Amino acid sequence: MVATLFSLDPLMGALIGALALAESLSAPVLVGMGLIASAGAMATWRAERLPVSPMPSSTERP
């Protein structure tokens, strides 16, 4: 979840820059923002699907 939120930071910054400062966003910038946001979403999705092994307790000895 956090990875997805962090990946949206550049997207929000670029959109605010485009709206508030009247900056133009080129096609490569838009594609890059989409790739960054999708990478964060994919990382979150894959992390939720991976099995989690239980952590050993402090009483267990190897």
Side-chain angles (χ1 to χ4, degrees), residues 27-37:
V29 170
L30 293 173
V31 169
M33 290 187 325
L35 290 173
I36 291 170

Side-chain angles (χ1 to χ4, degrees), residues 1-57:
M1 178 72 173
V2 174
T4 304
L5 293 177
F6 282 141
S7 70
L8 293 178
D9 285 345
L11 177 80
M12 294 305 296
L15 291 178
I16 290 171
L19 296 175
L21 303 174
E23 292 181 354
S24 62
L25 299 177
S26 63
V29 170
L30 293 173
V31 169
M33 290 187 325
L35 290 173
I36 291 170
S38 62
M42 183 64 71
T44 302
W45 178 71
R46 285 193 40 96
E48 290 176 356
R49 295 191 58 195
L50 294 175
V52 178
S53 60
M55 293 189 60
S57 66

